[in-house]
């Protein structure tokens, strides 16, 4: 007899949909079958049983200038759990003068003991000095097996730095995750808009149009072709970047990409909301016009995109006021870690855009595979961690700020009622969420030493 049995649910993985019981022994799935006996039984009749979902791109307690994103490792991971996410990946970003190893120790110090779910960390390279390059193999061996690179912001790298880092990543088995926007073009466009007195949030997307994103993606992919490095494009938003990826794949390159719910569901129209409301939607790359959304959904459905991440980076409305008179000063980013899975289920599966299997693939299995967590995370299989989500496909939930747990005073989806919501979330065999209430313990989440990139 196992410790716990989840009975009569419909198990959904990236490959299958079937009825069976799941036996949990300690922290792992020990058996899948029929008529299993357990000391404790959870009845999942009428529910889907999904693997715990994986969000591979969040920014908790992210310092930007004089402000810090409003969810910390505790509030952000509790909110993630309430939305069905049991694993997140955040970032190690060296501050000026700090080495990558020092930044790693500091970031672990911020997270360990404060997380409510399991987590991993991407490295970020902000330079390509010999010290940084030499640090990579050891950090990769310690489970930091992905490398964030930027083409814009203060952390941007030039082409020579990209070449050195891409080559080093290939050598160490690190997967680069790249934010692609052409920095010079953004600066040029911003200056022109401000000089013309165009200072409101609605001008944010005009300062970073699709071609600005696609140019940088195309350049990074060209450089990655020279070094022979697989690359994942972060938070892709538009047809033009999809085309750059398809062109690189046609050249024989291994290219992966993630997309975020906001770019599938919201649009430039949101920048025109009255008052300063549009500031809530200032994130980068920006929201696009709706014509980009169908190609993105189609790529998600047909395998062109591998993961849905959130880029969760919330700022309170008060923090957003920094850019009241100048949109370029609005802190970039938006909340999303809690709403990702319900939105993709409701808008994807519920509206016939994604199959159940594909939904699990892009929200759990795909990100786990890309970032060295599979099959410990991202699937339901004997030996995998017992991270499980019992999902009521009929449960409706209006995504109001009051009903959510993220530490931010608004929701981007106030008017949206999703159909399908988690009713119980389990991490490594322990119930951590029941009926939209966190019942786990802060500090029980663990750091995940991830495997090297291989697909
Ligand atoms: O606007 C955004 N996305 N802020 C977070 C940092 C980033 O670019 O991923
Ligand atoms: Zn980014
Ligand atoms: Zn990000």
């Amino acid at each position: 007899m196992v410790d716990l049995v989840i009975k009569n649910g419909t198990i959904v993985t990236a490959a299958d949909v079937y009825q069976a019981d799941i036996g949990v022994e300690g922290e792992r799935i020990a058996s899948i079958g029929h008529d299993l006996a357990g000391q404790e039984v959870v009845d999942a009749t009428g529910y889907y049983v999904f693997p715990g979902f994986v969000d591979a791109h969040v920014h908790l307690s992210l310092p930007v200038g004089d402000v810090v994103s409003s969810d910390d490792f505790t509030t952000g991971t509790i909110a993630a759990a309430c939305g069905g996410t049991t694993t997140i990946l955040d970032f190690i970003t060296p501050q000026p003068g700090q080495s990558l190893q020092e930044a790693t120790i500091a970031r672990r110090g911020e997270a360990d003991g404060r997380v409510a779910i399991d987590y991993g960390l991407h490295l970020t390279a902000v330079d390509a000095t010999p010290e940084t390059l030499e640090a990579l193999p050891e950090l990769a061996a310690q489970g930091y097996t992905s490398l964030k690179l930027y083409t814009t912001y203060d952390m941007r790298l030039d082409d020579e730095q990209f070449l050195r880092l891409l080559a080093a990543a290939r050598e160490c088995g690190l997967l680069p995750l790249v934010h692609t926007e052409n920095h010079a073009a953004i600066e040029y466009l911003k200056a022109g808009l401000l000089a013309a007195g165009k200072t409101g949030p609605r001008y944010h997307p005009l300062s970073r149009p699709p071609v600005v994103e696609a140019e940088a993606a195309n350049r990074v992919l060209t450089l990655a072709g020279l070094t022979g490095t697989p690359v994942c494009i972060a938070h892709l938003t538009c047809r033009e970047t999809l085309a750059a990826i398809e062109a690189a794949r046609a050249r024989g390159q291994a290219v992966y990409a993630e997309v975020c719910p906001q770019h599938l569901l919201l649009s430039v129209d949101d920048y025109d909301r009255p008052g300063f409301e549009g500031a809530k939607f200032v994130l980068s790359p920006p929201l696009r016009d709706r014509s980009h959304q169908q190609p993105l959904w189609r790529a998600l459905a047909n395998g062109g995109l591998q993961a849905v991440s959130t880029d969760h980076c919330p700022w309170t409305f008060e923090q957003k006021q920094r850019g009241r008179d100048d949109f370029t000063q609005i802190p970039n980013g938006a909340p999303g870690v809690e709403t990702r899975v319900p939105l993709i289920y409701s808008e994807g599966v519920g509206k016939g855009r994604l199959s159940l299997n594909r939904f699990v693939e892009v929200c759990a299995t795909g990100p786990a595979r890309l970032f060295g967590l599979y099959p410990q995370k991202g699937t339901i299989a004997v030996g995998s961690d017992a991270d499980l989500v019992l999902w009521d496909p009929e449960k409706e939930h209006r995504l109001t700020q009051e009903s959510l747990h993220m530490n931010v005073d608004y929701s981007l989806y106030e008017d949206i009622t999703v159909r399908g919501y988690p009713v119980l979330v389990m991490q490594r065999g322990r119930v951590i969420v029941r009926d939209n209430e966190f019942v786990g313990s802060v500090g029980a989440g663990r750091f995940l030493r991830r495997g090297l990139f291989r697909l």
Side-chain angles (χ1 to χ4, degrees), residues 270-281:
D270 291 300
Y271 295 115
D272 286 331
R273 292 193 184 211
F276 194 53
E277 290 289 301
K280 297 175 179 174
F281 300 83

Side-chain angles (χ1 to χ4, degrees), residues 57-59 62 64 91 148 150 152-153 155 179 181 204 208 234-235 258 260 262-263 281-286 310-315 320 330-334:
H57 188 152
V58 306
H59 301 275
L62 177 75
V64 175
F91 296 84
K148 184 76 182 286
Y150 290 88
T152 186
Y153 302 141
M155 300 161 289
H179 176 129
E181 289 183 291
H204 173 67
R208 315 170 90 104
H235 45 43
E258 61 171 19
C260 303
Q262 55 269 30
H263 294 112
F281 300 83
V282 168
L283 45 94
S284 293
T310 58
D311 198 13
H312 176 78
C313 188
W315 307 97
K320 291 271 184 182
I330 300 171
N332 278 210

Side-chain angles (χ1 to χ4, degrees), residues 223-243:
L223 301 179
L226 291 176
T227 58
T229 313
V231 163
C232 183
I233 301 293
H235 45 43
L236 159 154
T237 70
C238 59
R239 282 188 301 270
E240 290 82 348
T241 304
L242 273 178

Side-chain angles (χ1 to χ4, degrees), residues 2 23 37 56 81 86 107 118 143 146 164 185 306 355 385 388 399 432:
V2 293
T86 52
R107 198 65 170 157
D118 291 353
S146 43
R164 290 187 200 287
Q306 287 67 46
S355 69
D385 283 359
L388 300 166
L399 299 175
I432 60 169

Side-chain angles (χ1 to χ4, degrees), residues 12-349:
V12 187
T13 67
D16 298 300
V17 181
Y18 61 106
Q19 290 228 307
D21 301 341
I22 299 173
V24 177
E25 193 69 42
E27 299 190 336
R28 296 194 171 178
I29 297 172
S31 46
I32 300 174
H34 293 284
D35 303 320
L36 300 183
Q39 292 181 21
E40 200 190 325
V41 173
V42 173
D43 184 14
T45 305
Y47 297 148
Y48 288 127
V49 185
F50 294 131
F53 293 99
V54 179
D55 187 344
H57 188 152
V58 306
H59 301 275
L60 303 174
S61 293
L62 177 75
V64 175
D66 56 351
V67 286
V68 179
S69 63
S70 61
D71 258 321
D72 62 21
F73 277 97
T74 297
T75 61
T77 53
I78 288 174
C82 291
T85 291
T86 52
T87 300
I88 53 150
L89 298 181
D90 201 288
F91 296 84
I92 297 160
T93 312
Q95 298 304 303
Q98 200 178 33
S99 72
L100 202 42
Q101 291 101 326
E102 287 164 347
T104 301
I105 293 164
R107 198 65 170 157
R108 287 291 301 276
E110 286 179 68
D112 289 340
R114 296 196 178 90
V115 281
I117 58 172
D118 291 353
Y119 82 105
L121 294 169
H122 302 286
L123 302 167
T124 303
V126 296
D127 58 47
T129 60
E131 190 193 13
T132 297
L133 296 172
E134 282 158 21
L136 296 177
E138 174 57 27
L139 289 166
Q142 291 170 18
Y144 305 95
T145 55
S146 43
L147 183 65
K148 184 76 182 286
L149 305 172
Y150 290 88
T151 60
T152 186
Y153 302 141
D154 292 348
M155 300 161 289
R156 67 188 176 279
L157 302 156
D158 64 25
D159 290 355
E160 187 180 342
Q161 290 171 313
F162 257 98
L163 285 164
R164 290 187 200 287
L165 288 159
L166 289 168
R170 190 204 54 219
E171 286 300 305
C172 307
L174 293 168
L175 179 66
L177 173 64
V178 191
H179 176 129
T180 63
E181 289 183 291
N182 180 311
H183 185 76
I186 295 167
E187 291 305 303
Y188 169 77
L189 292 168
K190 281 201 297 202
L193 289 161
L194 292 180
K198 297 178 171 175
T199 58
R202 72 174 53 178
Y203 299 108
H204 173 67
L206 300 185
S207 71
R208 315 170 90 104
V211 66
V212 163
E213 177 184 319
E215 186 285 325
N218 195 32
R219 182 160 35 95
V220 166
L221 292 175
T222 303
L223 301 179
L226 291 176
T227 58
T229 313
V231 163
C232 183
I233 301 293
H235 45 43
L236 159 154
T237 70
C238 59
R239 282 188 301 270
E240 290 82 348
T241 304
L242 273 178
I245 289 173
E246 277 158 21
R249 286 182 183 145
R251 298 194 294 268
Q253 292 180 234
V255 186
Y256 310 93
E258 61 171 19
V259 66
C260 303
Q262 55 269 30
H263 294 112
L264 292 163
L265 298 169
L266 303 172
S267 80
V268 280
D269 298 344
D270 291 300
Y271 295 115
D272 286 331
R273 292 193 184 211
F276 194 53
E277 290 289 301
K280 297 175 179 174
F281 300 83
V282 168
L283 45 94
S284 293
L287 303 177
R288 305 299 187 193
D289 72 64
R290 289 205 180 274
S291 69
H292 294 275
Q293 294 178 352
Q294 198 199 23
L296 296 183
W297 278 110
R298 215 178 275 146
L300 208 50
N302 70 20
L305 296 172
Q306 287 67 46
V308 177
S309 308
T310 58
D311 198 13
H312 176 78
C313 188
W315 307 97
T316 63
F317 199 38
E318 178 61 34
Q319 289 175 314
K320 291 271 184 182
Q321 301 301 318
R322 196 176 75 174
R324 181 106 219 165
D325 303 318
D326 173 355
F327 72 88
T328 67
Q329 299 306 309
I330 300 171
N332 278 210
V337 76
E338 188 171 2
T339 47
R340 174 185 69 127
V341 178
L343 281 168
I344 298 302
Y345 179 87
S346 189
E347 295 287 325
V349 179

